[in-house]
Amino acid sequence: IVAVSLLEIIIVVSSGEFNDVQGQSTSNLMYMRVLRIARSFRIFRIIRIVSFFRPLRLLLLSVFSTLRSLFWTVLLMLLMMYMFGVLFTQAVTGYRLEVTDDTGAHG
């Protein structure tokens, strides 16, 4: 976006100087001045939009910088859930084997 606006500035400045050197009629110069002003307003709008996205850019950079910590946190949580699942399965299996041995029932 910034490169496009810089390109427009260069085009506006060079077209204005080129038209003045050729000595075209005043109607063409007036048309070029109006066109130049319209392009200037467009450039200012682009600058305003770019400044609007600055907080969004900062927010996205903050989120991406925390992804490494988030990865390790999620990995630790998954490891803890896996360990709890294994321990719970062993405890339930031991209980079921103990109950079936005492009652003599199968299932």
Side-chain angles (χ1 to χ4, degrees):
I1 295 174
V2 176
V4 172
S5 63
L6 289 175
L7 179 65
E8 286 184 3
I9 290 172
I10 292 170
I11 290 172
V12 167
V13 170
S14 65
S15 68
E17 292 174 4
F18 182 70
N19 287 334
D20 290 340
V21 170
Q22 280 186 340
Q24 294 180 352
S25 66
T26 57
S27 65
N28 284 344
L29 288 176
M30 185 65 162
Y31 173 74
M32 290 304 293
R33 286 183 185 143
V34 170
L35 185 62
R36 196 177 315 154
I37 290 170
R39 285 187 179 177
S40 297
F41 284 129
R42 184 176 177 199
I43 291 169
F44 290 132
R45 189 180 76 199
I46 290 172
I47 291 172
R48 188 178 68 197
I49 289 172
V50 168
S51 65
F52 172 73
F53 284 114
R54 188 168 287 147
L56 178 63
R57 182 176 165 256
L58 179 64
L59 182 65
L60 287 175
L61 287 175
S62 300
V63 168
F64 287 133
S65 66
T66 60
L67 284 179
R68 184 175 178 187
S69 299
L70 179 66
F71 169 75
W72 288 111
T73 303
V74 169
L75 186 68
L76 182 63
M77 288 176 61
L78 289 174
L79 182 65
M80 289 173 54
M81 286 174 29
Y82 177 75
M83 288 172 46
F84 176 77
V86 168
L87 289 174
F88 185 73
T89 303
Q90 284 182 347
V92 168
T93 303
Y95 175 76
R96 295 228 17 201
L97 289 174
E98 184 178 306
V99 168
T100 55
D101 287 344
D102 291 341
T103 60
H106 297 283

